[in-house]
Amino acid sequence: MSNVAGISPTLAAYLARIGLAGAPSVDGCGLAAMQAAHRQTIAFENLSVRLGDAVQCDSASAFAKLVTAQRGGFCFEHNQLLADMLGEAGFDCRLLLARVLLGNPATIPARTHCLLLAELADGPWIADAGFGGSYAPPMPLIDGALAQSGDGAHHRLTRMDDAGALAGSFLLERKGPAGSTDGRGAGGAAWEPQYAFDLAPVLPSDLAMGCHWSATHPQSRFTKVTVASLCLPDGFASMVDRQFTSWRMEEAPARRDIADAAEYRELLEVRFGIALGAADIARLPLWD
């Protein structure tokens, strides 16, 4: 890591938020370090959606919410912030759109996920700090590329088709423990599709459209369930509605139903780093 001196105030604030002492080296190792620190510190969550608040994914809004207000967010917020901060750290990167296939086995869904493409000295890499289902480390954009995450899961990139194919040009797959996911995956020894993407240019208006659909459409997962998750160095913690789950490689899995709003609020703060007031907790559509 480089020294904090000489970097912008916004990058310094972000690095402090994710617990890094300095800006990363501009290579695959630096990309991996920044993404891991981000995803192990800033929770994935859709609380704003479930509270009926507006969700914006422009640079200023993402920084204000995830850094200044120390909240979490979903993919459009997380990866806009990561792309902006990588850019300030000297990376050449841009955002891509993807179709989430996890939990959608019979359909080709809309492009309602985003990730980023970084052009490094050894070629293009993908990175993603905003996939709520599990953790995938940055990977070189190569057909057949393989990576392993700290939870023991394996990840694979496969070239699917030429640019312009309906589903996408590349497929990200995972095989590994189901416990280190948000519950949508089966886990085990078989490769399981996560999402498909292509390399088409993406405009801010494209991102705004995907963000708006995800936050408002009745068929969006985020308008139907309340989720929060945080990646751990060797596992995963999540809350899906009123069920809390934590899985780590060297520990017995923890799973329990959340009894009431007070317990939910405590778990949200202690396990996911989000301090939400009692009045807002009470407004979540979780309590009969």
Side-chain angles (χ1 to χ4, degrees), residues 152-154 174-181 185-192:
H154 296 269
R174 176 189 185 273
K175 65 176 178 180
S180 57
T181 74
W191 288 106
E192 189 169 24

Side-chain angles (χ1 to χ4, degrees), residues 12-39:
Y14 171 76
L15 293 173
R17 170 78 165 104
I18 64 173
L20 290 185
S25 53
V26 185
D27 53 26
C29 290
L31 183 63
M34 195 151 154
Q35 179 186 296
H38 180 126
R39 192 64 180 93

Side-chain angles (χ1 to χ4, degrees), residues 45-55 65 71 215 222-223 225-226 264 268 274-287:
E45 47 103 337
N46 71 330
L47 299 170
S48 293
V49 174
R50 301 295 274 165
L51 290 169
D53 299 334
V55 178
K65 183 180 177 185
R71 277 283 305 278
F222 300 123
T223 63
V225 297
T226 306
Y264 189 95
L268 192 65
I274 299 172
L276 204 63
D280 282 333
I281 296 291
R283 289 198 298 121
L284 290 170
L286 297 174
W287 326 110

